Amino acid sequence: MRWFIAAVCLNMAASPGASAPAIPQPDKAELYRQAEVIGRALVQYLGAGYAFRIDFPHHLVYVYVQDKSTIQLAVAKILGIYADAEQAMLFHSPLQWNVTILIPKLEDYRRLVPLGDAAAGIYVPTLKILLTNGVHSSLIHEFTHALHHNDQALANQGHPIWITEGLAVLFQQSHPALGGTVQMEPGVRIALAKMTVQEGCALPLTELLHKDQPQFMQEAEICYPQAGALMFYLYSQDKLSSFYETYKANYGKDRTGELALTMVLGKDLKDIETDWRQWMLDLKIPRPPIGVVAFLGVKVQPTTNGVQVTSFSRSSSVEREGKIWINDIILSVAGQPTPTPQALQDAIISCPARSIVEIKLSRYGKKMTIQQLLGAAPVKEKPTHAPQTMPSLQGITQSTQPATTQ
Ligand SMILES: [Zn+2]
């Protein structure tokens, strides 16, 4: 019940009314006072080694591990850029409340984020707190949720999950560009959406638009990419801002987003769907350069039950995403059993670099399945799937830095 304690800390910190759905005008001095109280309460709660810092213009409170201040600075810089860019592009109003960005020690992260939620980041709307285990694309995803939450509260609206997740996926795949803007890119999720269109398993738009949260989550592997791809389509047609504004203006008439789509794109949903599908099929998605091989970034030791994770490579996606834990036993990768380190290596390099694969794990005896993004490691020789010509797992995990953009 750690969350309960954290909630108490934050409730103590918040002044009356701070958690109400909308505050017309943020009182800057009051927000600043609250930010200090929140920062101090969380540092006290987390114990020795933590510090906090307030980004006053953006109303962000950073709570971080004191000797990891460089990571904190990187996060603060990136989130500052995204706060400005997303405000300019879509949300228009600054945060009316403080959002806390908590970057805890790995062990505290695992303690605070409920077991079974293997996410690398999480935004808790009731507490207006974002927890992240590092700098990676899920940080931008969750931060977009935080900004969007504020905007919905200001408008007294609750947007459907395809819009919420679609926007988060869109920004997650972008990178900061010159002039304080962000550049959108067709990343892994858009590539997945393209695959579903190619294979004929993309959802009809009317179905996607009407999904509630549980239905969306049931088909998460199709819904997330497709919602992101629809937002990416609007962005590419230079219609993202007008779609969002039209949607908000017509919220009373239609909450699904269909009306706004038809108004902004000037056709009915059936024609929009036809155009979107064709656009997806034509979309060029950058491929990884020749000479890369899939890379997981774990070091393992053989045990009687399978291979056990002993450490992670620095900056690998496994480390950043935090879904695989030290001492986990990896049972299979993409359906291939991995009883030995060699079998694990063979299974990984038979997958495409930067693809998302299903990994079956045993954690303290409990079996679970995760979706893990593989990195890409350069190889000196032409890549082949013949294991004997590949560098050893040790070599892959130690000598390379994956160039994952996702
Ligand atoms: Zn999300």
Side-chain angles (χ1 to χ4, degrees):
M1 288 292 95
R2 303 284 176 181
W3 273 115
F4 176 69
I5 301 167
V8 170
C9 280
L10 291 177
N11 281 338
M12 272 163 41
S15 72
S19 58
I23 301 169
Q25 277 299 318
D27 175 343
K28 284 185 177 287
E30 177 57 17
L31 275 180
Y32 192 61
R33 190 196 68 79
Q34 286 175 16
E36 290 211 324
V37 177
I38 291 168
R40 242 181 267 125
L42 272 173
V43 166
Q44 198 187 11
Y45 163 68
L46 288 161
Y50 280 92
F52 74 96
R53 176 179 166 273
I54 300 166
D55 176 348
F56 183 49
H58 292 117
H59 303 158
L60 299 173
V61 185
Y62 292 95
V63 179
Y64 59 99
V65 181
Q66 210 153 21
D67 57 7
K68 293 253 174 88
S69 55
T70 44
I71 294 178
Q72 183 271 326
L73 280 176
V75 171
K77 188 160 187 210
I78 290 168
L79 295 192
I81 292 170
Y82 274 89
D84 292 340
E86 294 192 32
Q87 192 181 319
M89 209 183 279
L90 290 178
F91 300 134
H92 305 314
S93 307
L95 288 173
Q96 60 181 321
W97 48 53
N98 291 297
V99 168
T100 306
I101 317 292
L102 174 54
I103 320 164
K105 294 172 192 164
L106 205 56
E107 62 264 32
D108 287 336
Y109 183 81
R110 287 171 181 167
R111 194 163 54 85
L112 291 164
V113 176
L115 185 77
D117 189 339
I122 183 170
Y123 173 66
V124 187
T126 47
L127 299 174
K128 301 173 187 80
I129 189 167
L130 190 165
L131 272 116
T132 177
N133 62 7
V135 188
H136 40 60
S137 66
S138 358
L139 171 65
I140 306 304
H141 181 109
E142 300 304 327
F143 189 58
T144 302
H145 283 329
L147 299 174
H148 189 196
H149 172 214
N150 177 70
D151 195 60
Q152 291 176 78
L154 280 170
N156 203 16
Q157 297 182 355
H159 298 170
I161 185 146
W162 82 268
I163 294 183
T164 309
E165 294 304 339
L167 290 175
V169 168
L170 177 75
F171 282 102
Q172 176 178 18
Q173 305 208 105
S174 66
H175 60 81
L178 287 174
T181 58
V182 295
Q183 180 72 42
M184 306 298 178
E185 279 186 348
V188 170
R189 298 231 177 165
I190 307 294
L192 282 173
K194 178 170 175 161
M195 239 160 59
T196 63
V197 174
Q198 279 168 331
E199 288 171 9
C201 50
L203 296 171
L205 287 191
T206 173
E207 209 177 293
L208 180 75
L209 266 47
H210 283 92
K211 278 199 187 292
D212 62 17
Q213 173 129 9
Q215 292 165 340
F216 192 94
M217 290 305 169
Q218 255 166 26
E219 289 187 274
E221 274 164 290
I222 293 178
C223 292
Y224 274 91
Q226 198 172 332
L230 203 50
M231 290 299 176
F232 188 62
Y233 176 69
L234 288 168
Y235 171 81
S236 304
Q237 313 292 311
D238 207 14
K239 301 276 192 210
L240 183 67
S241 305
S242 54
F243 164 73
Y244 188 70
E245 260 167 46
T246 308
Y247 173 79
K248 281 176 70 182
N250 290 281
Y251 182 80
K253 287 184 214 149
D254 167 50
R255 295 188 178 188
T256 68
E258 177 172 347
L259 179 63
L261 282 174
T262 54
M263 283 169 77
V264 164
L265 294 169
K267 21 189 139 147
D268 67 24
L269 199 64
K270 213 162 163 284
D271 290 339
I272 294 172
E273 173 143 17
T274 308
D275 290 356
W276 171 74
R277 282 174 187 261
Q278 191 54 51
W279 183 83
M280 286 300 290
L281 292 173
D282 296 340
L283 183 66
K284 299 266 181 293
I285 293 170
R287 291 191 169 279
I290 297 167
V292 298
V293 66
F295 163 95
L296 182 60
V298 293
K299 285 181 202 157
V300 294
Q301 65 182 16
T303 70
T304 47
N305 303 324
V307 287
Q308 185 169 36
V309 177
T310 57
S311 64
F312 307 127
S313 311
R314 281 189 57 207
S315 346
S316 59
S317 26
V318 265
E319 188 195 47
R320 287 196 312 258
E321 295 188 5
K323 294 178 194 166
I324 297 180
W325 297 9
I326 302 287
N327 294 333
D328 281 355
I329 294 185
I330 299 179
L331 303 172
S332 71
V333 172
Q336 296 186 57
T338 54
T340 62
Q342 185 65 48
L344 173 66
Q345 186 195 354
D346 292 352
I348 291 164
I349 63 175
S350 69
C351 300
R354 298 195 184 100
S355 60
I356 293 173
V357 294
E358 195 176 80
I359 297 183
K360 287 199 170 25
L361 297 171
S362 166
R363 176 173 301 159
Y364 304 122
K366 192 180 157 217
K367 295 211 169 129
M368 54 182 72
T369 303
I370 60 154
Q371 305 290 325
Q372 176 65 49
L373 172 70
L374 296 177
V379 283
K380 290 191 181 87
E381 55 200 306
K382 200 165 175 281
T384 142
H385 286 164
Q388 63 274 19
T389 65
M390 302 310 300
S392 71
L393 182 66
Q394 192 82 347
I396 291 176
T397 56
Q398 283 187 338
S399 65
T400 54
Q401 291 287 322
T404 317
T405 53
Q406 247 296 176

